[in-house]
Amino acid sequence: MERFYQEELTCLHIIAHRGASAYAPENTFAAFEKAVELGADFIELDIQITKDGKLAVIHDDKVDRTTNGTGFVREYTMNELEQLDAGSWFGPEYQGEKIPSLEAVLRKYHNKTGLLIEIKSSKTQPGIEKAAGQLISRYGRSMNTIVQSFDAGAMRAFHHMYPSIQTAVLIRPRFGLLPRGRLRQIASFAQYVSLKATMISRLKSWKIDGIITDYPDYF
C-alpha cells in the first residue's frame, strides 16, 4: 500500500490477507489469531451485509466456497451464518470454525492490532458504508483502522460520513499506468491506494508502507 500512515515510517508494515490465510481458513478467528501469532501489524478482512443488516466477515457474496452452506450472504441473518461450518473446507482440524461478525472482530482486536477492512460492492449492498462506519466509531480508534474498497465512490461517500476514519482505494491500473490526475482525485478523499504486487517493480521510487500477504511470516 502507498502512504500507509500519514507520518514518516521507519519499517514496512505487514498486513495479513484475510488473516494468515495460507495457514488457516480465511476470514476466521483461526486465521486472525495466527496472524497475530506471526507478528502481523494489520489484519485485512472483508465484510458483507446480512439479511438483518449486520456485517459478516466473509470475502465472497455467496457462502458456497468457504462454508458448508449455499446461497448469498445477504439472504442469511448473522445468526444463521454463525451456524455454518467455515473451516472444514480448509482442513478437518478447522471443522466448526465460524463466520465472524465485524462487531466480534472489533471487540477482540480493536485494541490489539491494526485492522484493514474491505467493503465489498456497495452497489449490491446499500447502506454497508454507513453500517461499517457506525460500528467502527462505536469501538473508537485506539489502534489504526482503515477502510478500503475497489469502489472509489463508496470510499468518497464513506469519507464524507466518517472523515476521522482513514480510507484506501484498491485500484487496477489500466495497461500498468497510474495517471497522476487519478491519484490526485483519490487523494481528495482517501489517504492510501492499494496496488497488486505486479505493480511494485514500477513503483520503486514510491514509499511503500505495507504489504498485504497470505504469508505474514515470510517478511
Side-chain angles (χ1 to χ4, degrees):
M1 297 182 68
E2 166 68 3
R3 292 184 59 214
F4 198 71
Y5 280 142
Q6 292 180 341
E7 66 267 23
E8 288 299 316
L9 294 178
T10 57
C11 62
L12 186 70
H13 280 68
I14 303 307
I15 306 134
H17 183 236
R18 306 179 197 172
S21 54
Y23 303 109
E26 64 179 62
N27 281 322
T28 65
F29 278 119
F32 300 156
E33 283 297 287
K34 188 65 175 178
V36 172
E37 176 191 328
L38 293 175
D41 303 298
F42 279 72
I43 293 170
E44 187 268 351
L45 55 92
D46 309 278
I47 57 172
Q48 304 272 355
I49 201 161
T50 66
K51 184 178 181 179
D52 55 342
K54 306 294 185 183
L55 294 173
V57 179
I58 182 171
H59 178 271
D60 299 358
D61 60 356
K62 299 182 76 173
V63 300
D64 301 52
R65 181 176 64 87
T66 58
T67 79
N68 61 338
T70 59
F72 288 96
V73 173
R74 62 178 176 269
E75 295 173 344
Y76 287 80
T77 65
M78 190 65 235
N79 183 63
E80 289 169 340
L81 288 173
E82 289 171 339
Q83 308 311 309
L84 299 177
D85 179 350
S88 291
W89 69 274
F90 191 89
E93 67 271 30
Y94 293 106
Q95 182 178 0
E97 196 69 34
K98 304 301 182 186
I99 296 173
S101 67
L102 178 60
E103 184 170 9
V105 172
L106 286 167
R107 189 184 308 122
K108 187 175 180 67
Y109 295 110
H110 84 284
N111 205 21
K112 190 174 184 179
T113 188
L115 294 172
L116 177 59
I117 301 167
E118 181 176 343
I119 290 177
K120 309 312 289 184
S121 177
S122 63
K123 293 179 176 63
T124 59
Q125 303 183 82
I128 191 170
E129 305 101 319
K130 185 175 182 179
Q134 287 179 334
L135 198 52
I136 294 166
S137 298
R138 189 188 311 166
Y139 281 87
R141 299 180 65 250
S142 54
M143 290 292 287
N144 214 347
T145 301
I146 300 170
V147 176
Q148 70 174 3
S149 178
F150 278 105
D151 187 340
M155 288 300 89
R156 184 186 293 107
F158 184 92
H159 172 72
H160 288 311
M161 287 187 286
Y162 305 98
S164 66
I165 301 174
Q166 298 184 92
T167 56
V169 176
L170 290 145
I171 56 178
R172 298 187 181 99
R174 295 186 64 188
F175 311 112
L177 300 176
L178 195 59
R180 290 185 181 273
R182 175 64 171 151
L183 284 176
R184 281 194 294 270
Q185 181 187 42
I186 291 171
S188 68
F189 59 87
Q191 289 73 42
Y192 318 111
V193 293
S194 296
L195 304 171
K196 290 185 68 173
T198 50
M199 288 293 297
I200 297 300
S201 62
R202 297 172 182 261
L203 303 176
K204 290 179 179 177
S205 62
W206 288 26
K207 184 170 75 69
I208 305 300
D209 297 310
I211 291 179
I212 303 172
T213 175
D214 296 345
Y215 298 89
D217 53 329
Y218 278 25
F219 296 90

